[in-house]
Short mmCIF file of all heavy atoms in Angstrom, two decimals:
data_model
loop_
_atom_site.label_atom_id
_atom_site.label_comp_id
_atom_site.label_asym_id
_atom_site.label_seq_id
_atom_site.Cartn_x
_atom_site.Cartn_y
_atom_site.Cartn_z
N MET L 1 10.09 39.10 -20.08
CA MET L 1 11.33 38.41 -19.68
C MET L 1 12.48 38.80 -20.61
O MET L 1 12.37 38.67 -21.82
CB MET L 1 11.10 36.90 -19.74
CG MET L 1 10.20 36.45 -18.59
SD MET L 1 10.84 35.13 -17.62
CE MET L 1 10.82 33.73 -18.70
N ALA L 2 13.49 39.30 -20.07
CA ALA L 2 14.64 39.68 -20.89
C ALA L 2 15.46 38.45 -21.23
O ALA L 2 15.68 37.58 -20.38
CB ALA L 2 15.50 40.69 -20.14
N LYS L 3 15.92 38.42 -22.46
CA LYS L 3 16.69 37.25 -22.87
C LYS L 3 18.18 37.53 -22.79
O LYS L 3 18.86 37.72 -23.78
CB LYS L 3 16.31 36.89 -24.31
CG LYS L 3 15.34 35.73 -24.35
CD LYS L 3 15.53 34.95 -25.63
CE LYS L 3 14.85 33.59 -25.50
NZ LYS L 3 15.10 32.79 -26.70
N VAL L 4 18.64 37.63 -21.58
CA VAL L 4 20.07 37.88 -21.39
C VAL L 4 20.78 36.55 -21.19
O VAL L 4 20.39 35.77 -20.31
CB VAL L 4 20.32 38.77 -20.16
CG1 VAL L 4 21.80 39.06 -20.00
CG2 VAL L 4 19.53 40.06 -20.28
N PRO L 5 21.74 36.29 -22.02
CA PRO L 5 22.49 35.04 -21.87
C PRO L 5 23.26 35.01 -20.57
O PRO L 5 24.20 35.76 -20.37
CB PRO L 5 23.43 35.03 -23.08
CG PRO L 5 23.54 36.45 -23.52
CD PRO L 5 22.25 37.11 -23.11
N THR L 6 22.83 34.14 -19.69
CA THR L 6 23.52 34.04 -18.41
C THR L 6 24.36 32.77 -18.36
O THR L 6 23.86 31.69 -18.68
CB THR L 6 22.53 34.02 -17.25
OG1 THR L 6 21.34 33.41 -17.68
CG2 THR L 6 22.26 35.41 -16.75
N LYS L 7 25.56 32.93 -17.98
CA LYS L 7 26.40 31.76 -17.83
C LYS L 7 26.13 31.09 -16.49
O LYS L 7 25.75 31.75 -15.53
CB LYS L 7 27.88 32.17 -17.87
CG LYS L 7 28.34 32.48 -19.29
CD LYS L 7 29.82 32.73 -19.31
CE LYS L 7 30.30 32.96 -20.73
NZ LYS L 7 31.74 33.25 -20.76
N ALA L 8 26.34 29.82 -16.49
CA ALA L 8 26.09 29.09 -15.25
C ALA L 8 27.24 29.34 -14.27
O ALA L 8 28.39 29.48 -14.66
CB ALA L 8 25.98 27.62 -15.54
N CYS L 9 26.87 29.37 -13.02
CA CYS L 9 27.88 29.53 -11.98
C CYS L 9 28.84 28.34 -12.01
O CYS L 9 28.41 27.19 -12.01
CB CYS L 9 27.18 29.62 -10.63
SG CYS L 9 28.30 29.56 -9.23
N PRO L 10 30.14 28.62 -12.10
CA PRO L 10 31.11 27.52 -12.18
C PRO L 10 31.20 26.68 -10.92
O PRO L 10 31.77 25.60 -10.92
CB PRO L 10 32.44 28.25 -12.44
CG PRO L 10 32.22 29.64 -12.00
CD PRO L 10 30.76 29.93 -12.12
N ILE L 11 30.62 27.20 -9.86
CA ILE L 11 30.70 26.48 -8.59
C ILE L 11 29.53 25.53 -8.42
O ILE L 11 29.70 24.34 -8.17
CB ILE L 11 30.74 27.46 -7.41
CG1 ILE L 11 31.92 28.42 -7.57
CG2 ILE L 11 30.82 26.71 -6.09
CD1 ILE L 11 33.26 27.73 -7.63
N CYS L 12 28.32 26.06 -8.57
CA CYS L 12 27.15 25.22 -8.30
C CYS L 12 26.30 24.97 -9.53
O CYS L 12 25.42 24.13 -9.51
CB CYS L 12 26.32 25.85 -7.19
SG CYS L 12 25.53 27.38 -7.71
N GLY L 13 26.55 25.73 -10.62
CA GLY L 13 25.83 25.46 -11.84
C GLY L 13 24.55 26.28 -11.99
O GLY L 13 23.87 26.20 -13.00
N LYS L 14 24.22 27.06 -11.00
CA LYS L 14 23.04 27.92 -11.09
C LYS L 14 23.35 29.10 -12.01
O LYS L 14 24.51 29.45 -12.20
CB LYS L 14 22.68 28.44 -9.69
CG LYS L 14 22.00 27.41 -8.84
CD LYS L 14 21.62 28.07 -7.52
CE LYS L 14 21.06 27.05 -6.54
NZ LYS L 14 20.82 27.66 -5.23
N PRO L 15 22.30 29.70 -12.54
CA PRO L 15 22.51 30.89 -13.39
C PRO L 15 23.21 31.99 -12.61
O PRO L 15 22.85 32.29 -11.47
CB PRO L 15 21.08 31.32 -13.77
CG PRO L 15 20.21 30.15 -13.50
CD PRO L 15 20.90 29.29 -12.48
N ALA L 16 24.21 32.56 -13.24
CA ALA L 16 24.99 33.58 -12.55
C ALA L 16 24.20 34.88 -12.40
O ALA L 16 23.37 35.21 -13.23
CB ALA L 16 26.29 33.84 -13.31
N VAL L 17 24.48 35.59 -11.35
CA VAL L 17 23.86 36.89 -11.11
C VAL L 17 24.85 37.97 -11.49
O VAL L 17 26.05 37.86 -11.19
CB VAL L 17 23.47 37.03 -9.62
CG1 VAL L 17 22.89 38.41 -9.34
CG2 VAL L 17 22.46 35.96 -9.25
N GLU L 18 24.34 38.99 -12.13
CA GLU L 18 25.25 40.02 -12.64
C GLU L 18 26.11 40.62 -11.55
O GLU L 18 27.27 40.95 -11.74
CB GLU L 18 24.41 41.12 -13.30
CG GLU L 18 25.26 42.00 -14.18
CD GLU L 18 24.44 43.10 -14.83
OE1 GLU L 18 23.23 42.91 -15.03
OE2 GLU L 18 25.01 44.15 -15.10
N LYS L 19 25.53 40.75 -10.39
CA LYS L 19 26.25 41.37 -9.28
C LYS L 19 27.47 40.54 -8.87
O LYS L 19 28.48 41.08 -8.43
CB LYS L 19 25.30 41.51 -8.09
CG LYS L 19 25.89 42.36 -6.98
CD LYS L 19 24.90 42.49 -5.84
CE LYS L 19 25.53 43.21 -4.66
NZ LYS L 19 24.59 43.30 -3.53
N TYR L 20 27.33 39.24 -9.02
CA TYR L 20 28.41 38.37 -8.55
C TYR L 20 29.08 37.62 -9.69
O TYR L 20 29.71 36.60 -9.48
CB TYR L 20 27.87 37.36 -7.54
CG TYR L 20 27.25 38.00 -6.34
CD1 TYR L 20 25.88 37.94 -6.12
CD2 TYR L 20 28.05 38.68 -5.43
CE1 TYR L 20 25.31 38.53 -5.02
CE2 TYR L 20 27.48 39.28 -4.34
CZ TYR L 20 26.12 39.20 -4.12
OH TYR L 20 25.56 39.79 -3.03
N ARG L 21 28.89 38.11 -10.89
CA ARG L 21 29.44 37.41 -12.03
C ARG L 21 30.90 37.03 -11.82
O ARG L 21 31.68 37.84 -11.31
CB ARG L 21 29.31 38.29 -13.27
CG ARG L 21 28.09 37.91 -14.07
CD ARG L 21 28.11 38.54 -15.42
NE ARG L 21 28.52 39.93 -15.38
CZ ARG L 21 28.58 40.70 -16.46
NH1 ARG L 21 28.23 40.23 -17.62
NH2 ARG L 21 29.00 41.93 -16.37
N PRO L 22 31.31 35.87 -12.30
CA PRO L 22 30.49 34.89 -13.01
C PRO L 22 29.78 33.92 -12.06
O PRO L 22 29.41 32.82 -12.47
CB PRO L 22 31.52 34.15 -13.85
CG PRO L 22 32.75 34.15 -13.00
CD PRO L 22 32.71 35.42 -12.19
N PHE L 23 29.62 34.32 -10.85
CA PHE L 23 29.02 33.40 -9.87
C PHE L 23 27.57 33.78 -9.61
O PHE L 23 27.10 34.82 -10.03
CB PHE L 23 29.82 33.42 -8.57
CG PHE L 23 31.28 33.22 -8.81
CD1 PHE L 23 32.15 34.29 -8.78
CD2 PHE L 23 31.78 31.96 -9.10
CE1 PHE L 23 33.50 34.11 -9.02
CE2 PHE L 23 33.13 31.78 -9.35
CZ PHE L 23 33.98 32.86 -9.30
N CYS L 24 26.89 32.93 -8.87
CA CYS L 24 25.48 33.18 -8.61
C CYS L 24 25.30 33.90 -7.28
O CYS L 24 24.26 34.46 -7.01
CB CYS L 24 24.72 31.87 -8.61
SG CYS L 24 25.07 30.85 -7.18
N SER L 25 26.32 33.86 -6.47
CA SER L 25 26.19 34.50 -5.16
C SER L 25 27.57 34.79 -4.60
O SER L 25 28.58 34.27 -5.08
CB SER L 25 25.43 33.59 -4.20
OG SER L 25 26.16 32.40 -4.01
N ALA L 26 27.60 35.59 -3.56
CA ALA L 26 28.87 35.93 -2.93
C ALA L 26 29.52 34.68 -2.34
O ALA L 26 30.74 34.56 -2.26
CB ALA L 26 28.67 36.97 -1.85
N ARG L 27 28.67 33.77 -1.96
CA ARG L 27 29.18 32.55 -1.35
C ARG L 27 29.99 31.72 -2.36
O ARG L 27 31.06 31.21 -2.06
CB ARG L 27 28.01 31.73 -0.82
CG ARG L 27 28.46 30.75 0.23
CD ARG L 27 27.25 30.00 0.75
NE ARG L 27 27.62 28.66 1.13
CZ ARG L 27 26.74 27.73 1.47
NH1 ARG L 27 25.46 28.02 1.42
NH2 ARG L 27 27.12 26.56 1.82
N CYS L 28 29.41 31.61 -3.55
CA CYS L 28 30.11 30.84 -4.58
C CYS L 28 31.40 31.54 -4.99
O CYS L 28 32.41 30.91 -5.26
CB CYS L 28 29.20 30.64 -5.78
SG CYS L 28 28.02 29.31 -5.53
N ALA L 29 31.35 32.87 -5.03
CA ALA L 29 32.56 33.61 -5.36
C ALA L 29 33.63 33.35 -4.31
O ALA L 29 34.82 33.23 -4.62
CB ALA L 29 32.24 35.11 -5.42
N ASP L 30 33.19 33.25 -3.09
CA ASP L 30 34.11 32.99 -1.99
C ASP L 30 34.71 31.59 -2.11
O ASP L 30 35.90 31.38 -1.86
CB ASP L 30 33.37 33.15 -0.67
CG ASP L 30 34.33 33.45 0.46
OD1 ASP L 30 35.06 34.45 0.33
OD2 ASP L 30 34.34 32.70 1.45
N VAL L 31 33.87 30.66 -2.49
CA VAL L 31 34.34 29.29 -2.65
C VAL L 31 35.42 29.23 -3.72
O VAL L 31 36.46 28.59 -3.57
CB VAL L 31 33.17 28.36 -3.02
CG1 VAL L 31 33.68 26.98 -3.43
CG2 VAL L 31 32.21 28.23 -1.86
N ASP L 32 35.16 29.95 -4.80
CA ASP L 32 36.12 29.94 -5.90
C ASP L 32 37.42 30.59 -5.48
O ASP L 32 38.50 30.12 -5.78
CB ASP L 32 35.52 30.67 -7.09
CG ASP L 32 36.41 30.57 -8.30
OD1 ASP L 32 36.44 29.48 -8.91
OD2 ASP L 32 37.11 31.54 -8.62
N LEU L 33 37.29 31.68 -4.75
CA LEU L 33 38.48 32.38 -4.29
C LEU L 33 39.31 31.48 -3.40
O LEU L 33 40.53 31.43 -3.48
CB LEU L 33 38.06 33.64 -3.53
CG LEU L 33 39.23 34.49 -3.01
CD1 LEU L 33 39.93 35.19 -4.16
CD2 LEU L 33 38.73 35.51 -2.01
N ASN L 34 38.62 30.74 -2.55
CA ASN L 34 39.31 29.83 -1.66
C ASN L 34 40.03 28.73 -2.43
O ASN L 34 41.15 28.36 -2.12
CB ASN L 34 38.30 29.20 -0.70
CG ASN L 34 38.49 29.74 0.70
OD1 ASN L 34 39.53 29.51 1.30
ND2 ASN L 34 37.53 30.46 1.20
N ARG L 35 39.35 28.24 -3.45
CA ARG L 35 39.98 27.22 -4.29
C ARG L 35 41.23 27.76 -4.94
O ARG L 35 42.24 27.10 -5.02
CB ARG L 35 38.99 26.83 -5.38
CG ARG L 35 38.16 25.64 -4.99
CD ARG L 35 37.46 25.13 -6.22
NE ARG L 35 36.24 24.44 -5.88
CZ ARG L 35 35.36 24.03 -6.76
NH1 ARG L 35 35.57 24.28 -8.03
NH2 ARG L 35 34.31 23.39 -6.40
N TRP L 36 41.10 28.99 -5.39
CA TRP L 36 42.22 29.61 -6.09
C TRP L 36 43.40 29.80 -5.15
O TRP L 36 44.55 29.56 -5.48
CB TRP L 36 41.73 30.96 -6.62
CG TRP L 36 42.60 31.48 -7.70
CD1 TRP L 36 42.61 31.08 -9.00
CD2 TRP L 36 43.58 32.50 -7.58
NE1 TRP L 36 43.55 31.79 -9.68
CE2 TRP L 36 44.16 32.67 -8.85
CE3 TRP L 36 44.03 33.30 -6.53
CZ2 TRP L 36 45.16 33.60 -9.09
CZ3 TRP L 36 45.03 34.22 -6.77
CH2 TRP L 36 45.59 34.36 -8.03
N LEU L 37 43.08 30.25 -3.95
CA LEU L 37 44.15 30.53 -3.00
C LEU L 37 44.85 29.27 -2.54
O LEU L 37 46.06 29.23 -2.35
CB LEU L 37 43.58 31.27 -1.79
CG LEU L 37 43.20 32.72 -2.06
CD1 LEU L 37 42.54 33.32 -0.82
CD2 LEU L 37 44.41 33.55 -2.42
N THR L 38 44.06 28.21 -2.36
CA THR L 38 44.65 26.99 -1.82
C THR L 38 45.09 26.03 -2.91
O THR L 38 45.82 25.09 -2.64
CB THR L 38 43.63 26.27 -0.91
OG1 THR L 38 42.46 26.01 -1.67
CG2 THR L 38 43.28 27.13 0.29
N GLY L 39 44.65 26.28 -4.13
CA GLY L 39 44.97 25.35 -5.20
C GLY L 39 46.07 25.85 -6.12
O GLY L 39 47.21 25.41 -6.06
N SER L 40 45.71 26.82 -6.95
CA SER L 40 46.64 27.24 -7.98
C SER L 40 47.74 28.14 -7.42
O SER L 40 48.80 28.25 -8.01
CB SER L 40 45.89 28.02 -9.06
OG SER L 40 44.73 27.31 -9.41
N TYR L 41 47.43 28.77 -6.33
CA TYR L 41 48.36 29.79 -5.86
C TYR L 41 49.25 29.25 -4.76
O TYR L 41 49.46 29.86 -3.75
CB TYR L 41 47.56 30.99 -5.37
CG TYR L 41 48.38 32.24 -5.24
CD1 TYR L 41 49.15 32.70 -6.30
CD2 TYR L 41 48.41 32.95 -4.05
CE1 TYR L 41 49.90 33.84 -6.19
CE2 TYR L 41 49.16 34.10 -3.93
CZ TYR L 41 49.90 34.55 -5.00
OH TYR L 41 50.63 35.68 -4.88
N VAL L 42 49.78 28.06 -4.98
CA VAL L 42 50.63 27.46 -3.97
C VAL L 42 52.06 27.94 -4.17
O VAL L 42 52.64 27.81 -5.24
CB VAL L 42 50.59 25.94 -4.07
CG1 VAL L 42 51.56 25.32 -3.08
CG2 VAL L 42 49.18 25.43 -3.81
N ILE L 43 52.60 28.48 -3.13
CA ILE L 43 53.98 28.94 -3.21
C ILE L 43 54.90 27.76 -2.96
O ILE L 43 54.85 27.15 -1.90
CB ILE L 43 54.25 30.05 -2.19
CG1 ILE L 43 53.30 31.22 -2.44
CG2 ILE L 43 55.70 30.47 -2.25
CD1 ILE L 43 53.21 32.16 -1.27
N PRO L 44 55.73 27.44 -3.92
CA PRO L 44 56.63 26.30 -3.75
C PRO L 44 57.65 26.56 -2.66
O PRO L 44 58.43 27.50 -2.72
CB PRO L 44 57.31 26.17 -5.12
CG PRO L 44 57.13 27.50 -5.79
CD PRO L 44 55.88 28.10 -5.21
N ALA L 45 57.62 25.72 -1.67
CA ALA L 45 58.57 25.86 -0.57
C ALA L 45 59.67 24.82 -0.73
O ALA L 45 59.42 23.63 -0.64
CB ALA L 45 57.84 25.67 0.75
N ARG L 46 60.86 25.28 -0.98
CA ARG L 46 61.95 24.33 -1.13
C ARG L 46 62.97 24.58 -0.03
O ARG L 46 64.05 25.08 -0.27
CB ARG L 46 62.62 24.45 -2.48
CG ARG L 46 61.81 25.22 -3.48
CD ARG L 46 62.64 25.37 -4.73
NE ARG L 46 61.91 24.86 -5.88
CZ ARG L 46 62.54 24.41 -6.95
NH1 ARG L 46 63.84 24.36 -6.98
NH2 ARG L 46 61.87 23.98 -7.98
N ASP L 47 62.54 24.24 1.15
CA ASP L 47 63.47 24.38 2.27
C ASP L 47 64.30 23.12 2.43
O ASP L 47 65.37 23.14 3.02
CB ASP L 47 62.69 24.63 3.55
CG ASP L 47 62.62 26.11 3.85
OD1 ASP L 47 63.66 26.79 3.63
OD2 ASP L 47 61.57 26.59 4.27
N ASP L 48 63.76 22.04 1.90
CA ASP L 48 64.43 20.75 2.07
C ASP L 48 65.50 20.50 1.02
O ASP L 48 66.51 19.88 1.29
CB ASP L 48 63.39 19.63 1.98
CG ASP L 48 62.81 19.32 3.35
OD1 ASP L 48 63.46 19.72 4.33
OD2 ASP L 48 61.76 18.69 3.43
N GLU L 49 65.27 21.03 -0.17
CA GLU L 49 66.20 20.72 -1.24
C GLU L 49 67.49 21.51 -1.11
O GLU L 49 67.48 22.70 -0.83
CB GLU L 49 65.53 21.05 -2.57
CG GLU L 49 64.45 20.03 -2.88
CD GLU L 49 63.91 20.26 -4.29
OE1 GLU L 49 64.69 20.58 -5.17
OE2 GLU L 49 62.71 20.10 -4.45
N PRO L 50 68.56 20.86 -1.32
CA PRO L 50 69.87 21.54 -1.24
C PRO L 50 70.04 22.49 -2.41
O PRO L 50 69.73 22.16 -3.55
CB PRO L 50 70.88 20.39 -1.32
CG PRO L 50 70.13 19.27 -1.96
CD PRO L 50 68.68 19.44 -1.60
N GLU L 51 70.55 23.66 -2.12
CA GLU L 51 70.71 24.65 -3.18
C GLU L 51 71.86 24.29 -4.11
O GLU L 51 72.02 24.85 -5.17
CB GLU L 51 70.96 26.01 -2.54
CG GLU L 51 69.71 26.88 -2.59
CD GLU L 51 69.96 28.24 -1.98
OE1 GLU L 51 71.00 28.82 -2.28
OE2 GLU L 51 69.12 28.68 -1.18
N ASP L 52 72.66 23.36 -3.68
CA ASP L 52 73.81 22.96 -4.49
C ASP L 52 73.37 22.30 -5.79
O ASP L 52 74.08 22.31 -6.78
CB ASP L 52 74.65 21.97 -3.68
CG ASP L 52 76.10 22.44 -3.64
OD1 ASP L 52 76.32 23.62 -3.32
OD2 ASP L 52 76.97 21.62 -3.96
N ASP L 53 72.19 21.72 -5.72
CA ASP L 53 71.70 20.96 -6.87
C ASP L 53 71.28 21.88 -8.00
O ASP L 53 71.19 21.47 -9.14
CB ASP L 53 70.49 20.13 -6.42
CG ASP L 53 70.31 18.92 -7.33
OD1 ASP L 53 71.35 18.34 -7.69
OD2 ASP L 53 69.17 18.61 -7.66
N LYS L 54 71.03 23.14 -7.65
CA LYS L 54 70.49 24.04 -8.67
C LYS L 54 71.51 25.08 -9.09
O LYS L 54 71.17 26.18 -9.48
CB LYS L 54 69.25 24.72 -8.12
CG LYS L 54 68.02 23.88 -8.27
CD LYS L 54 67.08 24.52 -9.27
CE LYS L 54 65.97 23.55 -9.67
NZ LYS L 54 65.08 24.17 -10.64
N SER L 55 72.78 24.74 -9.02
CA SER L 55 73.80 25.70 -9.43
C SER L 55 73.77 25.88 -10.94
O SER L 55 73.38 24.98 -11.68
CB SER L 55 75.17 25.22 -8.99
OG SER L 55 75.46 23.98 -9.62
N ILE L 56 74.18 27.03 -11.36
CA ILE L 56 74.12 27.33 -12.78
C ILE L 56 75.24 26.58 -13.52
O ILE L 56 76.42 26.73 -13.19
CB ILE L 56 74.30 28.84 -13.00
CG1 ILE L 56 73.22 29.61 -12.23
CG2 ILE L 56 74.24 29.16 -14.49
CD1 ILE L 56 73.66 31.03 -11.93
N PRO L 57 74.85 25.80 -14.51
CA PRO L 57 75.86 25.07 -15.29
C PRO L 57 76.68 26.04 -16.13
O PRO L 57 76.14 26.91 -16.81
CB PRO L 57 75.02 24.14 -16.17
CG PRO L 57 73.66 24.74 -16.20
CD PRO L 57 73.51 25.52 -14.92
N GLY L 58 77.96 25.88 -16.10
CA GLY L 58 78.79 26.78 -16.88
C GLY L 58 79.67 27.65 -16.02
O GLY L 58 80.70 28.12 -16.47
N SER L 59 79.29 27.83 -14.76
CA SER L 59 80.08 28.69 -13.90
C SER L 59 81.08 27.83 -13.10
O SER L 59 81.74 28.31 -12.23
CB SER L 59 79.17 29.46 -12.95
OG SER L 59 78.49 28.54 -12.12
N ASP L 60 81.16 26.60 -13.47
CA ASP L 60 81.99 25.67 -12.70
C ASP L 60 82.90 24.87 -13.63
O ASP L 60 83.11 23.71 -13.48
CB ASP L 60 81.05 24.73 -11.92
CG ASP L 60 81.72 24.25 -10.65
OD1 ASP L 60 82.33 25.08 -9.97
OD2 ASP L 60 81.64 23.05 -10.37
N GLU L 61 83.46 25.56 -14.61
CA GLU L 61 84.13 24.83 -15.69
C GLU L 61 85.65 24.92 -15.64
O GLU L 61 86.28 25.00 -16.67
CB GLU L 61 83.63 25.38 -17.03
CG GLU L 61 82.31 24.74 -17.43
CD GLU L 61 81.90 25.22 -18.81
OE1 GLU L 61 82.79 25.46 -19.64
OE2 GLU L 61 80.70 25.36 -19.05
N ASP L 62 86.21 24.92 -14.47
CA ASP L 62 87.68 24.99 -14.46
C ASP L 62 88.31 23.66 -14.84
O ASP L 62 89.51 23.53 -14.95
CB ASP L 62 88.17 25.46 -13.09
CG ASP L 62 87.34 24.89 -11.98
OD1 ASP L 62 86.34 24.19 -12.26
OD2 ASP L 62 87.69 25.10 -10.84
N ASP L 63 87.47 22.67 -15.03
CA ASP L 63 87.97 21.35 -15.41
C ASP L 63 88.08 21.22 -16.92
O ASP L 63 88.64 20.27 -17.43
CB ASP L 63 86.99 20.30 -14.87
CG ASP L 63 87.73 19.02 -14.53
OD1 ASP L 63 88.96 19.09 -14.44
OD2 ASP L 63 87.07 17.99 -14.36
N ASN L 64 87.55 22.19 -17.62
CA ASN L 64 87.40 22.07 -19.07
C ASN L 64 88.36 22.97 -19.84
O ASN L 64 88.18 23.24 -21.00
CB ASN L 64 85.97 22.43 -19.44
CG ASN L 64 85.48 21.52 -20.56
OD1 ASN L 64 86.23 20.67 -21.03
ND2 ASN L 64 84.27 21.73 -21.00
N ILE L 65 89.38 23.40 -19.16
CA ILE L 65 90.31 24.31 -19.83
C ILE L 65 91.30 23.54 -20.72
O ILE L 65 91.93 22.63 -20.22
CB ILE L 65 91.09 25.16 -18.80
CG1 ILE L 65 90.09 25.98 -18.00
CG2 ILE L 65 92.11 26.04 -19.50
CD1 ILE L 65 90.71 26.68 -16.81
ZN1 ZN V 101 26.82 29.30 -7.44
#
């Protein structure tokens, strides 16, 4: 038995397989990818917010002369 330190699959906790590292299977890799796509990789949609609110301060200083 080879003593290779295997990390546990972050999805299900099973020992990871080298082929699918760091996951134990293609399925778990897919699950993680899905989480990543739907979780961290959310594109902020600001269609509702008025762009006037985010004007650059300093370009509107004709009152300060
Ligand atoms: Zn797994």
